[in-house]
């Protein structure tokens, strides 16, 4: 890897702020009182950083103000520790800047974060989150969807839907122009699956926003809410509809979100947030950044399937094989779906008895299986229509295919996700209530096409 | 009632924590100084409770942490006071547990709450809230909706829509299996109209979530929001759209929601929440848990009607007659709809002059009556189509009936509720704007069916 | 102007609370210590106000409590300073009231606010906000929409949709009855473009709610959210979907919203709110109440156009010409659209580098132009259908026109506003994803009508 020198340098920096630097002048605790030196360990920043900070405090005061409040600043981690790259790095933006000779990049990838947060980045790499960007471009039909279907294949404007839409949550595959600057078509993005020029995938700043990178932010529903919303996965709406969200919304402003990593537990909070169930430690599962690990089902696919796939592979495919793949949609717990469920349930027990938990999941699982029944009927009709050449070429102009898409991608996800996260309005009114109307519409179109042997216009 | 012994026991417990217990050793205020005993009244918990607390603090720390912060704990009301039942109680889960010999139930019904909060439970019993669960099962067509229409009559999965949907807000009629455990099809639920095996109806924990049972929680919009949302009664969205919600969302985090019962008044808050208008005391109406009491209109029915029905009856029908009924949808103020309105207006005067209040309700009422005009036209068309056998058998596959349902149940409720709660976006864009398109669609279908004398396919 | 006497009086009042009154007894700083008088300037209220306050503290405690917390109260500005009018004022409600002989109005217009806040009112008058009410009534088809189309031309009920809907955000043209009281059809409203009987237009209380009139309220998204929401301009939803909203929702409760006018800057906040970008001062633009000033595009019109129109004119037309006009929909920055954009970008630089900002706006602009491509195709089809008499007379019953309306007014605004405010779910799923389906539907109807030479029924 071309990034290895930067990695080595960074490791040395890390040692610095971890206290490995000897205190100047060899002061020891023993003689501290005598010499009247303050009792402190050396925690200084890179000298180079002062220039960055002084100048950017004027140019971009928000960036410096954010950093000042961060744990990074308290630990002496500053601009240069994250933005410095080697001269030959694929991330390089400028070889020196305003008097400094340090080569830097405006981009910071998870490779950099992993220098100090290796465990978190590794877990994250095992989660479905890293599939976000690459899977879009791995699917030819998705690319068409954006450039041709939505972008009208317009020579100049066709990238606008992806750039203002998909990529802002999913992430992009960042491209640099010949001046080493990221292109407007691929950056800026806060997308969680962003693939960087150095081969690393993922974006810690999606949830821990720059330049504060706060642990408390990521523990709040708002951190997830800017992507997990809307017709196809209204997860923040689902949370607000649940008793968990009800309690958080009533009193969460007073809870303690600042506990140190791995120590955040009841009674810091009275009800779980997204992070509590999907990431926080419990009796059966350590704290993890692999948000797929406690999921029994894949609920975003047209047919709900058990997550039997182990770890996500999309990041490794990109980083080590230089391949853009759809990854492993059945990624979950390496021990299988029942282990995933057991790890999830181990969080519920803090506030609910076993009967409550078991009963709840029995019915939520049945609700998922009921959705499958609907969709399987639709598949059967669709396949028969296909065989008889009674499906339109453009699925978005074809009432059958369009309705079937919505029954899965919108209504069907709401039904399943609403049920499994205890949100009755989404399980019912936005979910099965609409799914049952969709299936009726599909049956009508199906019957008419079979009867007339043509596609209605 | 088989619960009478438990009731008697509980009454004794209550006397205990209310201070009726004589202090051990007969200490009086007179000699408190002499004996240097601390000045205190006896507020001890049931000895039995210590075992519960110690063990469950490990098993379910959230439950115990919640309780520790509750008024209950401060008053010495503990686990056993609410979960103890008689051996022959229909609520019984276990006859003794982990060394304790007290028979207990995992379920706690309003019968138990009423031992100390009788006034609140009685008012609640008079409100439409208690109709929630039983009315669903009283309507054969509603049962069909869930089991057949949505549950596909599937032998194993048919209960999933009701269990993950309707029942979570409306409540269920809890069934116990032969091991005295509540069935997955009927529990858990936080539904406000839950009917318990002991015959009592209602769920205090819907708004005062267990195990803290906080008065301040129920005064915040979030307490109502987890059920009063969505396409058919977007009440939290309506609140957020109103100037009341605007003010609450801007500064409510700093208001005082902890005032003692009956003392919560301006300037504890600057704008009303749901609880202020529908429950808090004002010049014409004492604080009440009968949320139907200040409502002039029934706005959820297809045709808006004045609430002339007095008190709700569904709870008494279930508790005393063992009947599952649709209750009294016109339940409101026992003195009639104008008295209801006057009691509501008496809250507005705190911040608005009489002209403002009168003008507002004049137009909101007209908006309700305007909706009726739309729906009456639809009824006329429907009845004529029915007479000519031009209505489909399955209403969800029939465009006329399906559209008419939505014009009432979704768009029409939004138009009416949006207007009466000062939410212009819901009165207009989500309301009348869609209703006027619905009526046009109905007219088109109606005309076509009359012309062709057949139902379009 | 008949209001000139009141204006003069008010000006004198202002001098008073600004400190122009000489301290009683001629105390100077020099001899303050000698005479031991407290160092204070005179800040008294109008004597008349005491009567108002004492009585209304009982009748309407919320009004008085609000005022007590206001900057107005601290500065000695009280009821009478805003509600007093001349006897012959068109705003007059009562010529004296409960023992006071001061003529008063229940209405307070921006004329009154401008007595002390002239700069803010002038800027506001230059913004599109003032077009809110008058433009509705200037468009014959809009009037029809409300009275005929939605109000069913019902003799008694036809004003309900406008009164409970449009006017609550847009504002009304307030009409008084013969008793000088505002009519229910036109008041109450918190609408921002309200036109008052004294000829002034606008409503400061839309964002700074009465009677606290707080600067911190208007800086929070909630102030904008009660109008900027819903299917046609989901701006609060867009904000919540953006990284800006994500950060505000996670930690905004702890930010400083109380900085003095013109001093509110990073690090008072970590992410911008609506007010930050559209109103707060930055390197290229002073703080302004002209929210149109930094807008490059008009994004609410069917075809997005550059804002080349300079200042808004609707308020002046009404005030000085007594004309109800549609105003100047291309109102923006007097120096043109590129100056508008530059003034907007000057705010971004606080937290983002120039490449980030430029890239972002390049793609957001392309997204807007892409929408235009869609709509232009629709116009072409519509015009051809019109020429061939293949458009229905009632646009709401005509599938082509109805779909085209939604493609513009709902989906198309979401696509454009979602993109320009960094909200991927609105740019994509609520935006272009639906727009691309709309255009397909339009093409189908168009083709069928051309083929059959008739309008489908």
């Amino acid at each position: 890897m071309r990034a290895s020198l930067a990695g080595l340098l960074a490791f040395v920096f890390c040692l610095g702020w971890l206290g490995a630097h000897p205190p100047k002048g060899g002061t020891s605790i023993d003689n501290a009182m005598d010499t009247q030196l303050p009792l402190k360990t050396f925690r200084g920043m890179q000298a180079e950083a002062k220039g960055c900070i002084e100048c950017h405090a004027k140019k971009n005061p928000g960036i410096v103000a954010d950093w000042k409040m961060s744990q990074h600043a308290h630990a002496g981690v500053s601009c240069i520790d994250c933005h410095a790259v080697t001269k030959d790095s694929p991330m390089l933006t400028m070889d020196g800047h305003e008097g400094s000779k340090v080569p830097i990049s405006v981009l910071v990838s998870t490779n950099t974060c992993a220098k100090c947060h290796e465990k978190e980045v590794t877990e994250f790499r095992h989660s479905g989150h890293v599939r976000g960007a690459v899977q879009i471009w791995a699917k030819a039909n998705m690319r068409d969807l954006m450039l041709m279907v939505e972008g009208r294949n317009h020579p100049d404007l066709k990238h606008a839907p992806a750039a203002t839409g998909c990529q802002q949550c999913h992430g992009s595959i960042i491209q640099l122009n010949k001046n080493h600057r990221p292109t407007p078509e691929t950056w800026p993005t806060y997308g969680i699956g962003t693939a960087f020029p150095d081969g690393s995938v993922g974006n810690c700043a999606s949830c821990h926003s720059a330049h504060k990178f706060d642990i408390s932010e990521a523990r709040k529903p708002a951190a997830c809410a800017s992507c997990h919303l809307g017709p196809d996965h209204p997860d923040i709406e689902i949370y607000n509809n649940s008793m968990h969200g009800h309690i958080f919304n009533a009193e969460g402003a007073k809870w303690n979100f600042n506990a140190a990593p791995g120590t955040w537990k009841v009674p810091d909070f009275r009800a779980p947030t997204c992070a509590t169930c999907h990431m926080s430690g419990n009796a059966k599962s350590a704290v993890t950044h692999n948000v797929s690990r406690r999921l029994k089902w894949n609920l975003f696919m047209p047919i709900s399937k058990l997550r039997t796939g182990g770890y996500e592979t999309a990041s490794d495919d990109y980083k080590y094989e230089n391949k853009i793949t759809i990854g492993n949609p059945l990624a979950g717990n390496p021990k299988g779906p029942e282990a995933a469920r057991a790890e999830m349930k181990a969080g519920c027990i803090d506030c609910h008895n076993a009967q409550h938990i078991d009963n709840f999941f029995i019915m939520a699982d049945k609700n998922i299986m009921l959705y499958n029944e609907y969709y399987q009927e639709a598949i059967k009709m669709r396949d028969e229509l296909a065989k008889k050449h009674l499906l339109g070429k453009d699925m978005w102009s074809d009432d059958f295919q369009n309705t079937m898409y919505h029954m899965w991608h919108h209504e069907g996800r709401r039904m399943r996700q609403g049920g499994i996260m205890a949100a009755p309005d989404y399980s019912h009114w936005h979910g099965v209530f609409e799914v049952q109307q969709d299936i009726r519409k599909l049956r009508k179109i199906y019957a008419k096409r079979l009867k007339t042997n043509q596609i209605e216009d």
Side-chain angles (χ1 to χ4, degrees), chain A residues 11 22 41 117 266 305 328:
Chain A
F11 185 61
T41 53
H117 305 281
V266 161
K305 288 189 181 154
N328 179 8

Side-chain angles (χ1 to χ4, degrees), chain A residues 246-325:
Chain A
H246 157 154
I247 295 173
F248 170 80
N249 288 322
E251 56 181 76
K254 292 181 184 161
W255 296 350
N256 174 30
F257 287 94
N258 285 308
T263 72
W264 189 54
K265 283 185 185 313
V266 161
D268 290 323
F269 48 84
R270 253 197 85 213
T273 65
C274 317
T276 315
C277 299
H278 294 283
M279 303 178 78
S280 288
N282 63 44
K284 293 213 177 171
S285 174
V287 58
T288 182
H289 275 66
N290 178 355
V291 292
S292 309
R293 184 178 174 95
R294 297 177 192 169
L295 305 180
K296 177 175 172 180
W297 296 94
N298 177 317
L299 296 180
F300 63 77
M301 290 168 82
I303 288 284
S304 320
K305 288 189 181 154
L306 293 171
R307 288 180 170 266
T308 54
Y311 286 138
E312 174 55 51
T313 54
S315 171
D316 290 4
D317 291 345
Y318 185 77
K319 190 168 183 175
Y320 301 117
E321 313 283 335
N322 203 23
K323 280 187 193 160
I324 293 169
T325 70

Side-chain angles (χ1 to χ4, degrees), chain A residues 1-12 85-88 115:
Chain A
M1 289 294 297
R2 288 192 284 181
S4 58
L5 181 58
L8 182 62
L9 281 168
F11 185 61
V12 174
V85 291
T86 54
K87 259 190 178 188
D88 58 358
K115 292 186 302 186

Side-chain angles (χ1 to χ4, degrees), chain A residues 207-236:
Chain A
C207 311
H208 306 274
S209 66
H211 283 85
K212 195 177 171 191
F213 308 109
D214 200 349
I215 192 170
S216 71
E217 176 186 331
R219 284 169 172 163
K220 295 182 185 171
C224 313
S226 54
C227 289
H228 287 265
L229 81 165
D232 56 334
H233 41 42
D235 300 321
I236 186 63

